[in-house]
């Protein structure tokens, strides 16, 4: 099938308005929020129905063309970049909230629903969806599922994966089924669980059932200001070790504060080294005392000021400032590289010192805005990408931070995913046998490597070949084949 | 067979290989050898030997959930019970990180003893915690009443090391509380019943032991009023840690045990408000239990789902439904039990849509068939039968995506060494 024939058949499926094939327009889809590598897709489709998605995937399977599902393209690891061209399937027109079932704490949505819109919809009904990534004003639920997104409130409520009850999955061959619809225990392998965080390599999601939670009766937010980032990090470690379970513990350092202070009239004293946002929630009874205890820890660690967000509007402002901090970085430098890594929580103060040292060594500013309560760091390396020397130094800083993090027992990504950004780092954590187990899972879903190929596994690793090698090694003489020949297949599977 | 005995002995030490079943049996099938490796490497070697001998390997922790699933299909193969009980060490524990890595052979009680002195807990509440190993509990996706407040293994299981069918050692996840580095194989292994790999270690997120805790035990005459109470709790702003329906022994009435924990004031609030809700829903009485009374009540409730020790005429099933449908499902089961002259005992996590139902009596098979046919929207899994009966459809309605599941099994264990025939895949 020629390119033109493919485009024509896709047009037949999704209609003229659902198709992008103009070469200039295709460039829009050559990357997501990570621009370290770009590839134009061959064609882009924007289906509106599940049936259209199935038809597109079946056509792609028949013609052996990759399919890359894409939500809003806000991902930070290159998860939506079409590394081998193919069809980028954009879910943004599948943006309906289909059903809310408060009796069973669940709602059914299409994958293109924007996280913030779902949050607003649920809030008016007294509910919330726990995952609240900083990009929530733009990012989609489908993307949240694909990346197992986090957000400030994961420390108490868990990441996206804890809030997906089931997905309607379209497999690489175009077959479609629901992996679950709200019953929390079912026999069989957990296909929902392995699809969350798989970055679109197991299936294309056309609908999902999400777990929703009632909005807590009461919420308190305070911001503690420190002279330096280390006491803020120490406060976080002490709060966790002290057995508190806050709803959020978020740190912004001096550079981040500088970026957001003016934009959000935060009135942070000039020269403040760090701010720690502390949120507690639950039933109203006892919350003030709990907060007072946490604030006391902050003061003991050297907080110079503690300011409560007294009204709901003040709370909204504090969170708006925090969540828009990345955007505000544009005030400080033309480009930034946002690093995502997690360390055991006692290692936070040490790695903060390291980041400071690295910043000096590479002579580039590094801001910090992060989910401290989870040990999830986000050092933001600020540089000018048009300067090759700065580029090189920025990359050196990123690599050094990753290496140190893993040395502390950390991991390569907490919530942004591996995509293409971190795929070479996978070998820092996992050997060939570890990757082989992942390849085995991948093989069961996508033996032709058509769904978002070229992601997660290191570039030199072909998951299909790795899975084949494993199979061969596991097929012992007189193994399954011989036994089946003797006794018939039905006995075994 | 004797060659295999010698080889296995060379891998794990002759004293850790027992010829014969050593008292173990899975639904009428007895292993030829019981092997107890003392390290990941020994387990890996033993699995290589077992694979070369095309043995059937039954992973074995505390053995409290071996009644689950169908009997192993071993045909003429040697059957090896691979015990993880010697993998019972704490591997990595920095209390202030609030995470722990443990050997898969540790029991839940042993983990509790390791973390409790630091004011921490792994709030999984599985049945028979003194005998259940964490590897077995993970493999069977065991849950506990406090899943309402703390979730399940799926929410707290951070990383693992496993030995696969051919002896390959692989790990997944890590020791941090957030991690999206590669595929989430922890989710794959949870509930896979040892059909893909054997857990050797598991990493968990821990939680602080709440400062205060109490139970409000409410007594009701009918299931309908219990579920009216559950509805009232669900729409309130209260945040109970557990909400467990327990049918009274002898069949007269029901208890709804509401556990509250956390801050002193929050617990006081629940102690104040829950009895009022109960009264409105028609409770005959409610009592507040604290201290040892509270603790021992939940130890008994946790064990109500056990399927390790069954009478010959006993059956245990797990009913899973949408929470809104659980009440009517249980009423239907009550009616069916009465019709078939079975005694019924229920413990149910009513706000999660999970019930464990035990029956006593000879007509359990007819009851089971009625349950499957009249409740098509509900998942019914048989956890144990006092008298094994191969013809029973223990998994109930087949799950969607069975083809993918079979491909997963074929990739991980193409020679079908691990628990052959026992899982639904």
């Amino acid at each position: 099938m020629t390119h033109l024939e493919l485009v024509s058949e896709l047009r037949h499926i999704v209609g003229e308005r659902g198709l992008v094939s103009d070469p200039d327009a295709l460039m829009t889809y050559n990357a997501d929020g990570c621009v370290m590598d770009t590839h134009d897709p061959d064609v882009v489709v924007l289906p509106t129905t599940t049936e259209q998605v199935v038809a597109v995937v079946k056509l792609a399977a028949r013609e052996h063309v990759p399919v890359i599902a894409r939500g809003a393209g806000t991902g930070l690891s290159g998860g939506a970049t079409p590394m081998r061209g193919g069809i980028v399937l954009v879910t943004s027109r599948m943006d309906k909230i289909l059903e809310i079932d408060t009796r069973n704490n669940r709602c059914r949505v299409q994958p293109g629903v924007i996280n913030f819109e779902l949050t607003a919809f649920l809030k008016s009904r007294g509910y919330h969806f726990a995952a609240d990534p900083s990009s929530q004003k733009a990012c989609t639920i489908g993307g949240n599922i694909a990346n197992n997104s986090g957000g400030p409130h994961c420390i108490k409520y868990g990441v996206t994966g804890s809030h997906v009850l089931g997905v309607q999955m379209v497999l690489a061959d175009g077959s479609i089924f629901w992996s679950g619809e709200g019953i929390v225990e079912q026999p069989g392998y957990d296909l929902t669980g392995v699809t969350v965080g798989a970055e679109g390599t197991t299936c294309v999601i056309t609908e999902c059932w999400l777990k929703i939670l009632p909005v807590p009766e009461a919420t308190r937010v305070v911001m503690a200001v420190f002279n330096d980032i280390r006491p803020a990090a120490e406060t976080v470690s002490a709060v966790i070790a002290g057995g508190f379970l806050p709803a959020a513990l978020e740190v912004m350092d001096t550079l981040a504060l500088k970026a957001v202070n003016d934009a959000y009239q935060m009135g942070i004293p000039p020269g403040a080294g760090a701010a720690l946002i502390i949120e507690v929630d639950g039933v109203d009874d006892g919350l003030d005392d709990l907060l007072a205890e946490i604030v006391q820890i902050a003061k003991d660690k050297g907080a110079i000021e503690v300011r409560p967000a007294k009204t709901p509007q003040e709370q909204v402002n504090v969170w708006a400032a925090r969540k828009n901090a990345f955007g505000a970085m544009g005030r400080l430098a033309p480009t930034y590289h946002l690093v995502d890594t997690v360390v055991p929580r006692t290692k936070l103060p040490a790695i903060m010192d390291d980041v400071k040292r690295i910043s000096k060594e590479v002579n580039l500013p590094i801001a910090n805005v992060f989910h401290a309560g989870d040990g999830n760091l986000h050092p933001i390396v600020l540089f000018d990408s048009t300067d090759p020397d700065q580029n090189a130094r920025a990359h050196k800083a990123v690599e050094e931070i990753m290496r140190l993090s893993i040395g502390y027992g950390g991991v390569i990504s907490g919530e942004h995913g591996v995509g293409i950004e971190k795929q070479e780092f996978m070998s820092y954590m996992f050997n060939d046998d570890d990757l082989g187990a992942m390849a085995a899972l991948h093989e069961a879903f996508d033996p032709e490597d058509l769904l978002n190929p070229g992601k997660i596994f290191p570039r030199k690793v072909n998951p299909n070949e790795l899975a084949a090698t494993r199979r061969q090694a596991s097929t012992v003489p007189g193994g399954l084949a011989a036994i089946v020949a003797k006794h018939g297949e039905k006995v075994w599977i | 067979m004797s060659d295999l005995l010698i080889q296995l002995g060379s891998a794990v030490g002759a004293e850790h290989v027992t010829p014969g079943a050593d008292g173990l049996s899975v639904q009428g099938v007895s292993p030829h050898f019981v092997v107890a490796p003392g390290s990941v490497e020994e387990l890996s070697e033993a699995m290589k030997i077992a694979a070369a001998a095309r043995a059937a390997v039954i992973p074995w922790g505390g053995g409290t959930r071996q009644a689950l699933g169908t009997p192993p299909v071993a045909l003429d193969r040697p059957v090896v019970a691979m015990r993880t009980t010697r993998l019972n060490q704490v591997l990595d524990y920095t209390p202030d990180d609030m995470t722990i890595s443990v050997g898969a052979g540790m029991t839940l009680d042993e983990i509790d003893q390791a973390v409790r002195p630091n004011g921490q807990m792994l709030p999984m509440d599985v049945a028979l915690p003194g005998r259940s190993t964490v590897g077995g509990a993970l493999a069977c996706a065991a849950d506990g009443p406090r899943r309402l407040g703390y979730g399940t293994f799926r929410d707290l299981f951070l990383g693992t090391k496993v030995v696969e069918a051919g002896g390959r050692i692989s790990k997944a996840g890590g020791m941090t509380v957030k991690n999206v580095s590669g595929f989430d194989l922890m989710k794959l292994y949870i509930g896979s019943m040892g059909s893909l790999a054997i857990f050797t270690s598991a990493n968990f997120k821990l939680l602080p032991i709440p400062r205060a805790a109490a139970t409000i035990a409410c007594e009701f005459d009918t299931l309908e009023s219990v579920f009216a109470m559950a509805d009232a709790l669900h729409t309130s702003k209260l945040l109970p840690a557990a909400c467990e329906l327990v049918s009274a022994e002898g069949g007269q009435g029901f208890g709804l045990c509401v556990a509250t924990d956390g801050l002193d004031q929050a617990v006081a609030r629940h102690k104040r408000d829950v009895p009022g809700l109960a009264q409105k829903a028609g409770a005959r009485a409610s009592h507040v239990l604290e201290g040892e009374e509270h603790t021992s009540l939940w130890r008994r409730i946790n064990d109500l789902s056990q399927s390790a020790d069954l009478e010959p005429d006993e059956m245990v099933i797990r009913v899973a439904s949408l929470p809104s449908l659980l009440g009517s499902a249980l009423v239907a089961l009550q009616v069916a039990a009465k019709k078939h002259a079975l005694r019924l005992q229920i413990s149910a996590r009513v706000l999660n849509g999970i019930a464990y139902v035990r029956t006593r009596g000879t007509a359990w098979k007819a009851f089971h068939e009625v349950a499957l046919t009249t409740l098509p929207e509900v998942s019914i899994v048989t956890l144990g039968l006092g008298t094994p009966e191969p013809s029973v459809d223990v998994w109930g309605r087949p799950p969607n995506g069975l083809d993918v599941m079979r491909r997963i099994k074929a990739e991980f264990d193409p020679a079908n060494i691990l628990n052959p025939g026992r899982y639904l895949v």
Side-chain angles (χ1 to χ4, degrees):
Chain A
M1 184 178 255
T2 65
H3 175 67
L4 279 178
E5 285 167 340
L6 178 73
V7 170
S8 159
E9 202 157 326
L10 287 169
R11 184 180 288 116
H12 185 70
I13 296 167
V14 296
E16 190 63 49
R17 287 194 57 207
L19 190 93
V20 178
S21 59
D22 177 68
D24 288 345
L26 288 177
M27 269 180 61
T28 309
Y29 301 94
N30 69 9
D32 55 16
C34 168
V35 292
M36 63 186 282
D37 201 353
T38 59
H39 287 269
D40 287 355
D42 295 317
V43 58
V44 174
V45 292
L46 298 96
T48 52
T49 67
T50 296
E51 292 70 28
Q52 289 178 356
V53 173
V54 170
V56 169
V57 173
K58 277 189 174 159
L59 172 62
R62 197 185 78 203
E63 297 304 321
H64 211 76
V65 178
V67 174
I68 299 90
R70 177 187 171 105
T74 56
L76 293 165
S77 65
T81 306
M83 296 303 287
R84 295 178 198 160
I87 304 167
V88 165
L89 189 157
V90 182
T91 58
S92 55
R93 294 206 299 165
M94 297 178 76
D95 59 352
K96 308 285 182 300
I97 298 169
L98 299 166
E99 194 176 342
I100 177 166
D101 172 12
T102 54
R103 178 63 190 83
N104 292 305
N105 284 6
R106 61 178 188 157
C107 72
R108 184 165 60 94
V109 306
Q110 289 186 310
V113 168
I114 290 170
N115 178 297
F116 190 76
E117 287 178 4
L118 178 64
T119 300
F121 171 87
L122 293 174
K123 195 176 175 187
S124 64
R125 288 157 179 81
Y127 277 80
H128 69 114
F129 176 60
D132 61 339
S134 297
S135 57
Q136 71 181 151
K137 283 198 171 153
C139 66
T140 63
I141 295 297
N144 295 164
I145 295 173
N147 290 294
N148 198 8
S149 299
H153 293 90
C154 292
I155 177 176
K156 180 166 179 181
Y157 293 104
V159 288
T160 299
S162 290
H163 304 278
V164 181
L165 296 167
V167 296
Q168 188 182 44
M169 43 173 74
V170 180
L171 299 185
D173 63 2
S175 56
I176 179 169
F177 59 87
W178 274 99
S179 64
E181 299 185 42
I183 296 179
V184 290
E185 296 294 343
Q186 294 187 106
Y189 300 140
D190 182 2
L191 302 184
T192 310
V194 298
T195 288
V196 175
E199 304 187 13
T201 62
T202 58
C203 65
V204 178
I205 296 166
T206 46
E207 275 184 33
C208 50
W209 276 109
L210 302 175
K211 183 156 115 188
I212 56 176
L213 299 169
V215 172
E217 181 177 84
T219 302
R220 307 273 194 281
V221 179
V222 298
M223 184 187 279
V225 182
F226 297 84
N227 277 326
D228 187 27
I229 193 152
R230 191 174 170 101
E234 283 173 355
T235 301
V236 170
S237 292
V239 168
I240 296 298
F244 298 91
L245 199 59
L249 276 179
E250 296 282 310
V251 169
M252 290 190 275
D253 75 354
T254 186
L255 273 175
L257 288 172
K258 188 175 158 203
V260 299
N261 207 4
D262 296 339
Y264 292 92
Q265 289 89 46
M266 305 265 291
I268 304 285
L276 170 64
I277 301 173
I278 304 160
E279 180 175 308
V280 293
D281 68 8
V283 294
D284 195 47
D285 311 60
L287 268 194
D288 287 326
D289 292 354
L290 176 71
L291 192 58
E293 286 183 50
I294 297 176
V295 164
Q296 191 55 49
I297 293 175
K299 285 181 176 163
D300 291 346
K301 294 286 178 191
I304 50 173
E305 193 184 333
V306 176
R307 26 172 87 197
K310 292 193 192 75
T311 64
Q313 189 52 46
E314 282 181 28
Q315 293 184 3
V316 168
N317 288 350
V318 168
W319 282 116
R322 160 63 188 85
K323 289 187 175 176
N324 293 318
F326 299 127
M329 289 299 148
R331 291 164 173 255
L332 302 180
T335 323
Y336 65 82
H337 191 127
L338 172 53
V339 185
D340 169 39
T341 181
V342 193
V343 293
R345 291 173 281 191
T346 51
K347 301 295 190 297
L348 269 178
I351 199 161
M352 282 297 106
D353 287 348
D354 291 325
V355 170
K356 208 184 250 181
R357 174 179 54 77
I358 292 165
S359 169
K360 275 192 191 133
E361 279 171 13
V362 299
N363 195 25
L364 290 173
I366 301 180
N368 285 284
V369 180
F370 61 101
H371 312 305
D374 287 319
N376 189 181
L377 270 65
H378 286 323
I380 304 163
V381 184
L382 301 163
F383 65 109
D384 179 352
S385 62
T386 59
D387 176 345
D389 186 52
Q390 286 201 26
N391 242 323
R393 282 184 279 143
H395 277 103
K396 190 178 163 222
V398 172
E399 261 199 61
E400 180 70 1
I401 293 168
M402 293 307 300
R403 203 181 54 74
L404 282 167
S405 172
I406 289 164
Y408 283 127
V411 297
I412 63 169
S413 178
E415 55 180 12
H416 295 175
V418 176
I420 55 173
E421 185 206 5
K422 301 278 179 66
Q423 60 188 156
E424 298 312 316
F425 293 130
M426 282 288 277
S427 321
Y428 286 26
M429 273 183 77
F430 300 115
N431 65 25
D432 285 352
D433 285 342
D434 306 334
L435 292 172
M438 296 184 195
L441 177 69
H442 177 267
E443 184 76 359
F445 279 97
D446 187 13
E448 308 282 322
D449 205 14
L450 290 177
L451 296 179
N452 203 9
K455 303 293 165 64
I456 303 178
F457 296 96
R459 285 183 195 213
K460 68 175 193 306
V461 174
N462 175 322
N464 302 106
E465 282 173 15
L466 186 53
T469 312
R470 268 173 60 97
R471 268 196 311 275
Q472 235 157 18
S474 309
T475 312
V476 293
L480 181 61
I483 296 161
V484 167
K486 191 171 168 192
H487 298 287
E489 191 168 357
K490 101 178 199 331
V491 179
W492 295 100
I493 305 177
Chain B
M1 287 273 184
S2 59
D3 279 359
L4 183 55
L5 178 69
I6 293 164
Q7 285 176 22
L8 288 168
S10 72
V12 305
E15 67 276 28
H16 300 298
V17 183
T18 314
D22 199 20
L24 306 183
S25 151
V26 190
Q27 302 175 34
V29 177
S30 299
H32 299 104
F33 305 105
V34 179
V35 182
S39 68
V40 180
E41 292 70 27
E42 285 184 10
L43 175 55
S44 162
E45 277 308 304
M47 285 302 293
K48 280 178 195 162
I49 292 162
R54 64 186 198 85
V57 174
I58 301 168
W60 206 296
T64 58
R65 291 180 176 76
Q66 294 291 5
L68 179 62
T70 34
V73 178
L75 301 171
D76 58 346
R77 303 158 74 182
V79 179
V80 176
M82 197 65 78
R83 299 216 70 165
T84 56
T85 34
R86 290 176 67 221
L87 305 173
N88 61 348
Q89 283 90 37
V90 172
L91 304 172
D92 187 0
Y93 179 35
T94 306
D96 285 356
D97 283 332
M98 307 235 18
T99 55
I100 191 168
S101 178
V102 297
M106 279 187 89
T107 65
L108 274 299
D109 270 354
E110 286 167 346
I111 296 174
D112 186 62
Q113 284 153 20
V115 302
R116 182 164 289 276
N118 295 303
Q120 298 174 1
M121 63 175 184
L122 178 65
M124 292 292 95
D125 303 337
V126 307
L128 306 176
R131 291 159 64 190
S132 294
T133 62
V134 72
L138 284 166
C140 298
D143 75 339
R146 279 189 297 171
R147 68 178 295 158
L148 181 64
Y150 294 98
T152 63
F153 282 121
R154 292 182 194 97
D155 303 296
L156 301 178
F157 184 29
L158 305 174
T160 188
K161 190 178 268 187
V162 299
V163 172
E164 298 174 40
R168 194 185 287 112
I169 300 168
S170 62
K171 66 175 182 303
M175 272 292 271
T176 58
V177 296
K178 268 169 95 178
N179 186 0
V180 290
S181 312
F183 292 87
D184 191 346
L185 296 177
M186 281 66 70
K187 298 287 195 302
L188 178 65
Y189 297 140
I190 291 175
S192 65
M193 212 180 139
S195 64
L196 300 175
I198 302 178
F199 288 115
T200 70
S201 65
N203 310 341
F204 295 105
K205 178 178 174 176
L206 298 171
L207 287 153
I209 293 176
R211 296 175 187 191
T215 302
I216 302 97
C218 315
E219 295 174 23
F220 293 90
D221 290 321
T222 64
L223 270 178
E224 286 79 359
S225 49
V226 170
F227 279 88
M229 167 73 176
D231 279 344
L233 270 174
H234 177 256
T235 50
S236 77
K237 286 289 184 187
L238 298 176
L239 297 167
C243 182
E244 192 86 354
L245 155 68
V246 181
S247 61
E249 279 171 42
Q252 291 304 306
F254 300 91
L256 188 69
C257 300
V258 180
T260 165
D261 64 21
L263 303 173
D264 294 298
Q265 298 97 318
V267 168
R269 160 85 175 275
H270 285 77
K271 277 158 45 182
R272 205 165 57 233
D273 288 3
V274 172
L277 293 178
Q279 200 184 6
K280 267 192 202 157
R284 353 179 242 252
S286 52
H287 319 274
V288 173
L289 309 180
E290 290 176 281
E292 182 51 32
E293 268 192 324
H294 159 83
T295 315
S296 66
L297 172 73
W298 287 100
R299 266 202 298 268
R300 291 200 305 277
I301 290 177
N302 295 349
D303 284 350
L304 289 177
S305 62
Q306 68 88 13
S307 53
D309 308 313
L310 300 174
E311 297 299 326
D313 66 345
E314 192 167 13
M315 173 174 68
V316 187
I317 57 173
R318 186 191 68 198
V319 176
S321 77
L322 290 174
S324 62
L325 299 178
L326 189 65
S328 56
L330 292 180
V331 169
L333 292 179
Q334 234 184 354
V335 171
K338 200 168 178 188
K339 188 178 156 203
H340 292 96
L342 297 177
R343 275 180 291 153
L344 198 69
Q345 212 275 322
I346 299 168
S347 59
R349 335 233 193 269
V350 289
L351 293 178
N352 297 106
I354 302 285
Y356 291 89
V357 177
R358 316 176 79 85
T359 63
R360 292 292 304 275
T362 51
W364 57 267
K365 207 172 166 187
F367 167 82
H368 185 259
E369 276 169 22
V370 170
L372 284 186
T373 49
T374 56
L375 299 170
E377 73 281 24
V378 165
S379 161
I380 296 178
V381 172
T382 305
L383 302 184
L385 295 169
T387 309
E389 168 57 67
S391 68
V392 169
D393 182 4
V394 297
W395 301 109
R397 190 170 49 130
N400 292 339
L402 203 49
D403 287 347
V404 184
M405 295 179 193
R406 286 178 173 149
R407 291 202 292 271
I408 293 172
K409 170 69 176 175
E411 289 295 331
F412 276 83
D413 183 16
N416 205 14
I417 289 162
L418 285 167
N419 261 342
R422 296 200 59 206
Y423 194 50
L424 84 167
V425 176

